[in-house]
Amino acid sequence: MRLRGSAWLALSSFLISSILTGAVRPRYGGTLTVELSTAWPTLDPAAIQTALSIPIAETLVRVSSHGETEPVLAVAWQHDPDFKRWRFSLRPKVTFHDGEALTAASAAPSLLAVLKQKYGEVSMEAGGQALVVQADHAMPELLDVLALPSAAIVRKSDASPLIGTGPFRVASWEPGRRLMLAAFDGYWGARPYLDTVAIEFGAGRGRADLFDIPVGPARRILPEGLAMWSSEPRTLVAIAAVNAQPAQLQALALSIDRAPIVNVLAQHLGDAAFGLLPQWLSGYAFLFQSTPDVTRARQIASQLRPAAMTLSYPASDLFLRSVAERVALNARDAGIAIQPMPGGNGNLHVNLSMLEWPLESADAADALKRIAEQVGAGDRARQLDPAKPDTLYQFERSLLDEYRIIPLVHLRESYGIAPRVHFQPSRSDTFHLHLEDAWVEK
Amino acid sequence: MSFRTKVFLSITATVVLAVWIVAAVVSTLVTQSFERRDAQRTAGIVSQYRREMGRRGEDVARRVKAVADSDIVQRLAVNFNGPVDSSQYYSQALALAQEQSLDFLELVGPDAGIISSAEWQARFGYKEDWIAQPTDWNAQMAFLKKEDLADGSALGLIAVRSVKAGDGTLFVAGGRRLDKEFLDSLPVTDGVRVQLYRNFEPLAPADALVEEVRRQPREQTRVSGAVTETAIPLQGREGQLLAILLIENSRAELLSLRQYIQTTAGAVGVAGVLLGLMLSFWTASRVTRPLRDLASSVREVAAGNWDTRASVSSSDEVGQLARDFNGMTEQLREQRDRMIQAERVAAWRELARRLAHELKNPLFPLQITIENLQRSRDAAPEQFDEVFRESTSTLLAELGHLKTIIGRFSDFAKMPAPQLEPVDVNQVAREVMQLFEAQLRAPGQPAIEIKLQMEAYPGEVRADPDQLRRALRNLVLNALDAMPQGGTLTVRTSRHDNKVALEVSDTGQGLTPEECDRLFTPYYTTKLHGTGLGLAIVQSVVSDHKGTITVQSEPGKGTTFRIELTT
């Protein structure tokens, strides 16, 4: 996998920031204040899709930004040649936040629901720290599934909304308003530097040590001295065809100028998307790059004489609204009438739908499969071979040529970081910002 | 049609005509006055809206100027160096527009590219070529312009101001939307409705005046029912028709006032007509009353009331007529009195003649007899006794004759009042005719045939039976006297409605018309030895019974007397 230039730029900016503050030695203690513009209604790991890693619960394995599987709660794993039987050895001396020891038996319930949803009938055998997963069919991408947040190992308890094994435990939780985390002294790894993390939701005043920068045309000027961290592009913004002719969609795709969308509407917090997967994930996205061809689009439209189309967008998302309006403006230049309208796919009169797809997986094949399932091509995606990038390219090319989906932009997730906040630069994950690596000056 | 009715109708027609003329004149004057007032009001409203549009244009220009002078725009102009990164200014136009309460605002670079747009944010980077044309925008007033929006088009009152930016010029184009809200924000005048028809979109079923102005873009005014419509073409900088402002000025108030005045005038007119009717009625009555009195007096005089006098209540022609009428009746009455006097003299002469005649005939034999007695006593005393007996017998007979004559006159003079009772006319007729049967059958009497033609049920009349029999007897005697050579005597009864008729007919020589006119005159007779009282007595009896008696006769064909009595 290759990192695109802009991703490297973001990463290097963070590294430079770290280097600049490298003279400051990490210390324990202190509280990190965080402001997040989007409220969390729940602490369910599966429902939290953010680049800011809140390490309360952990998975058996994780996928690095380079696509490599790394051990977390599982220290080793083996599988048979058919990928039908997997055996995991769990990390010893790991305890949950409530003091309960992590065993195969305590981990199995969290995994079983996820695996059954993914593979159907799955059996588990738990013995001590050994956990065996077996199915009648092959599970070659099981590690990717187990790396998903939804596969985090948690315990159910009335005493706490979420009990995991991560470096932070939940100290208090007011759904949608405030989350207080405290360092888990019994963490199996190194204790986090911070004593507590106070997260405020919906504040958005930029006075915290760490705050997110929402993507959108509203320009946010960071106060002097603050650093910005941006993740790799992790969200695809695209137009999904609901009820439109392919030729109409072709004309529309040719008319769209993505540069203004990225530079102005997304405020450079993303990359123009010509393919479904970002360059850092697929490595071949540059092959889809193109320029707008309004003349060609107008020719196609003039032959079609298309009726006016509607383009829906989530009513509360100002960014997608602005993108929809820009797309409509570009389309008008090609002679295609598009009426942006707030709403969803439930509207019978919707021809096109503006959507965001979070790229949950750092694995290209898995991410592509998920997108394919969203546009009704999930069956064809099952034949994808992660080991053969050309099959991914061919499959993505076919999806694009069918105009079922028109990619527009890959968005990054960005955060503003106060000068007193530092992150340990050793971690190679550029996909997440890990709170357990942060410390604050006095 | 009576004279009073004619006078009444004439006066009424005059009054109604006068009232109608007055009402028509008042209505016409009121209508003209109101039309002038309506035209003035409409012109005032149109002028007010024009002034207000001008004022709003100045306001827009001032706000756009404020944007151009703002720190943000000035900083943008100062820092201007080549193509502008719209990402820094994407929302700037919207913020500035909200700050200045502008609906439209665009920051346009020297290359005519939109840096930031408030009304259509997504349009950044697009060109506004019209704004880069050589124009001294800072000297330009606000103008109308069609603004393209994401959801269509809108009409805007736009002003443009330029800001020096490096070697180029930065343009600030802003304005306010000219829509219903804008119209609603204009000063409201009661009864005025303003509508805006935009010319760059399909018009709703529009007013005919709007269509007319679309064809010929010039201000036009038309009165339509209760509304005065004025259509004002709104044109852009290059004279293109962008919209039509339709000002509807309600005439309801004026119409209501006019209606009120006309209704009041109508009511007054009706009252005037009613008053005129009463006045004309009174006038007609007052004017014609002397004439009616005079006519009544004339009828009274015609009915025989010669003492009637017309009242003289004025000195005008009618009063003179009444005085002349009174003079005339006075003269007529005097002439009548003189005539009555003459008739009385004539009657007395006739009576004297009759009396002389009637009395002379018996007196002459009396004189002869007495002279014969005197001669007999002197000449032949021996025969005196015989002559005395014969003479006294003659004297008694003649004295009896005189007594009879005197008795008749006495009877006529002493006609008693009738004693009315139900009487069967047929019965009376039969009784009377029975008295005459023996006389008619006596030898030597002329052959007279009697015919009784009685109505089966004539009914009873209220009459004095003795007087009725006497009258009938006189008529029968009169008929017998008219037929000395014999003939046919017919007595007939009949009934017609509430009257019973009794007729006595003879077949004698008949009477001449002159004789008929005098038949009922007392002491008039056509007979040698008649007293002339028989038919006078009959007429007196009939008159006392409120009946009538008529005679129908022709010479040679007999005579019929007909008595009619009311049942």
Side-chain angles (χ1 to χ4, degrees), chain A residues 217-219 260-261 263-265 267-268 322 325-326 329-330 332-333 339-340, chain B residues 85-91 120-126 148-152:
Chain A
R219 179 174 176 76
I261 296 175
N263 298 331
V264 179
L265 302 183
Q267 296 282 308
H268 304 287
S322 66
E325 289 177 352
R326 184 70 185 190
L329 185 62
N330 289 159
R332 198 176 75 153
D333 295 339
Q339 178 62 49
Chain B
D85 181 5
S86 290
S87 65
Q88 301 178 42
Y89 303 98
Y90 175 83
S91 303
W120 195 354
Q121 288 185 295
R123 202 155 172 261
F124 61 87
Y126 277 68
D148 292 328
L149 302 175
D151 55 353

Side-chain angles (χ1 to χ4, degrees), chain B residues 504-523:
Chain B
V504 177
S505 301
D506 64 61
T507 56
Q509 293 180 344
L511 300 171
T512 64
E514 292 79 4
E515 290 172 331
C516 289
D517 291 341
R518 293 171 174 78
L519 277 178
F520 302 105
T521 303
Y523 312 115

Side-chain angles (χ1 to χ4, degrees), chain B residues 56 84 128 134 232 234 248 254 290 313 383 387 447 512-513 547 551:
Chain B
R56 295 299 175 96
V84 179
E128 290 282 24
I232 304 172
L234 302 180
E248 294 179 342
L254 291 178
S313 57
Q383 295 178 337
V387 172
T512 64
V551 59

Side-chain angles (χ1 to χ4, degrees), chain A residues 44-49 57-59 145-153 360 432:
Chain A
D44 182 359
I48 300 173
Q49 303 288 339
E58 295 171 305
T59 52
V145 174
L146 295 177
L148 293 174
S150 57
I153 307 300
E360 296 179 359
H432 292 97

